[in-house]
Amino acid sequence: MENQEKKKIVLSAIQPTGTPTLGNYLGALKNWKTMANDYNCLYAVADLHSITVRPEPADLRRRTLEMYALLIALGLDPEKNTIFIQSMVPEHAQLAWILDCYTQFGEASRMTQFKDKSEKHPDNVNVGLFAYPVLMAADILLYQTDFVPIGADQKQHLEITRNIAERFNGLYGNTFKLPEPFIGKVGARVMSLQEPTKKMSKSDTNVKGFISVLDDDNAIMKKIKSAVTDSEAKVYYGEGKDGVNNLMGIYSCCTGKTFDEIEKEFDGKGYGDFKTAVGEAVIEELRPLKEEYARLINDKAYLYDCAKLGAEKASYFASRTLKKAMKKVGFIQIDK
């Protein structure tokens, strides 16, 4: 454990709100295994964040375990990495309450995600939805995290995390490390197969627009073949060719071929050949993940053992930061 601590710490968290898409996989998840070699990585299934929209309890339990199995199926080793379920580490909720008291109402109300989600769920605008970024700040600050891999939509959350940490450190002295955004290997920005100007999303109402990493081979091929292209029937990267550009990006990510190589490969061939090749490449890319996931999800005992180990490892780090913060605030500390 000591050796691990010398490496820079990276925290990645993913909500169990549905199966990740090919976009999530090629854009981020695929790089998590590589990242684990260079950093002390913590991977969390952020189930505490999921209850702001009141999911069915049985659904939440099932999806949490499925997401946990998927993380291990990516090739992440539960012995080498800390892979945990957030709700099994109570320090997250404890630190979140302390940080709530060091977050200004005005700065929390400026969060665009709160405004967006309030509009989507007008009948359930709860305090948890409002305080969501503070829990996210606790997730990050608990582990003295150096880097957080974030998308453009999470930039605001990292900024408020730094603001809260700076305010707390300013009052009580150095307690939390200020996290930076993780700039690692750039993954592909995968767009919708039906509306290639929009990002691929699992919440897309048109199921043909996204590929789930657990889709069967036939579904993958069907979705790729029905992907929007253009009338030119020529494979090259260019302006106004959003659909073809997107498929080229996907093919490049799955095969390692450059855009020039792809253009040469399909010179004189139509979109039919190109789409079939893209479909086959995606199927091959996802095959090891799907096979490993299918094996793991049927071994609940192993998953529970891994989750228990992950929670113990996460708690070991988290409790040190929490104790430090509690002492600084003025809570009585008695060794148990």
Side-chain angles (χ1 to χ4, degrees):
M1 212 170 252
E2 293 311 311
N3 186 37
Q4 278 287 76
E5 285 182 37
K6 286 174 187 164
K7 289 181 177 179
K8 294 280 188 192
I9 296 168
V10 177
L11 175 80
S12 304
I14 187 163
Q15 275 202 59
T17 49
T19 309
T21 65
L22 179 69
N24 301 134
Y25 174 75
L26 295 178
L29 301 176
K30 187 182 177 181
N31 299 330
W32 283 11
K33 189 180 173 185
T34 322
M35 201 163 73
N37 298 327
D38 304 320
Y39 299 92
N40 178 4
C41 290
L42 296 112
Y43 300 103
V45 178
D47 56 338
L48 289 178
H49 287 283
S50 299
I51 66 166
T52 57
V53 293
R54 285 191 209 145
E56 281 293 322
D59 279 353
L60 179 60
R61 272 191 290 274
R62 176 182 54 77
R63 288 200 312 259
T64 301
L65 200 63
E66 285 172 355
M67 186 61 77
Y68 191 78
L70 255 176
L71 291 184
I72 299 174
L74 285 170
L76 302 174
D77 184 341
E79 295 284 336
K80 286 183 188 163
N81 304 289
T82 304
I83 310 169
F84 67 99
I85 294 167
Q86 183 192 25
S87 62
M88 291 174 71
V89 183
E91 288 87 353
H92 286 257
Q94 287 175 275
L95 184 63
W97 168 249
I98 293 172
L99 299 184
D100 275 332
C101 301
Y102 292 85
T103 305
Q104 298 307 299
F105 193 86
E107 66 188 340
S109 62
R110 283 194 291 275
M111 294 286 112
T112 51
Q113 204 172 18
F114 172 67
K115 291 171 189 168
D116 295 346
K117 286 200 172 178
S118 302
E119 282 168 20
K120 275 187 192 168
H121 305 276
D123 55 333
N124 183 21
V125 184
N126 57 68
V127 174
L129 198 59
F130 185 76
Y132 180 102
V134 187
L135 176 57
M136 197 179 275
D139 299 339
I140 296 165
L141 299 176
L142 262 178
Y143 300 101
Q144 303 297 341
T145 306
D146 293 287
F147 300 113
V148 186
I150 51 164
D153 55 340
Q154 299 290 351
K155 200 162 167 267
Q156 230 193 352
H157 288 149
L158 192 62
E159 282 166 10
I160 197 173
T161 299
R162 288 175 61 90
N163 293 345
I164 296 165
E166 281 176 331
R167 182 175 297 126
F168 196 97
N169 289 352
L171 288 165
Y172 301 110
N174 193 20
T175 312
F176 302 115
K177 192 176 278 182
L178 297 185
E180 302 281 346
F182 181 79
I183 312 296
K185 186 184 170 203
V186 180
R189 184 170 162 78
V190 179
M191 313 307 276
S192 160
L193 298 173
Q194 294 298 312
E195 293 179 78
T197 53
K198 277 187 187 168
K199 199 173 152 194
M200 185 180 281
S201 166
K202 60 189 168 197
S203 57
D204 195 330
T205 48
N206 185 350
V207 292
K208 288 182 177 178
F210 65 93
I211 288 170
S212 149
V213 293
L214 297 178
D215 274 347
D216 65 47
D217 295 357
N218 288 340
I220 292 171
M221 188 58 85
K222 230 175 180 173
K223 287 178 183 182
I224 294 282
K225 283 190 170 176
S226 68
V228 168
T229 45
D230 52 59
S231 56
E232 202 178 357
K234 196 166 189 283
V235 178
Y236 69 93
Y237 195 90
E239 210 173 313
K241 290 180 73 72
D242 297 321
V244 173
N245 295 349
N246 187 35
L247 291 175
M248 284 179 75
I250 292 170
Y251 191 61
S252 168
C253 244
C254 294
T255 62
K257 292 176 182 177
T258 65
F259 284 179
D260 282 349
E261 287 169 340
I262 295 167
E263 283 175 21
K264 284 192 187 103
E265 185 183 347
F266 295 99
D267 188 27
K269 291 180 182 174
Y271 289 158
D273 290 334
F274 175 51
K275 284 180 173 180
T276 301
V278 176
E280 285 168 355
V282 170
I283 288 164
E284 281 313 306
E285 176 68 39
L286 295 177
R287 190 183 304 286
L289 171 70
K290 290 196 314 195
E291 285 173 357
E292 183 61 2
Y293 172 81
R295 188 184 71 76
L296 287 165
I297 204 64
N298 288 314
D299 192 350
K300 300 271 193 299
Y302 173 72
L303 290 174
Y304 290 148
D305 283 347
C306 290
K308 194 164 173 274
L309 173 72
E312 283 166 5
K313 280 158 74 171
S315 213
Y316 170 80
F317 287 111
S319 61
R320 291 189 297 180
T321 301
L322 179 67
K323 280 176 187 163
K324 199 173 171 185
M326 287 176 79
K327 191 177 178 185
K328 299 236 173 159
V329 168
F331 293 129
I332 291 170
Q333 303 274 285
I334 299 169
D335 288 333
K336 288 175 185 171

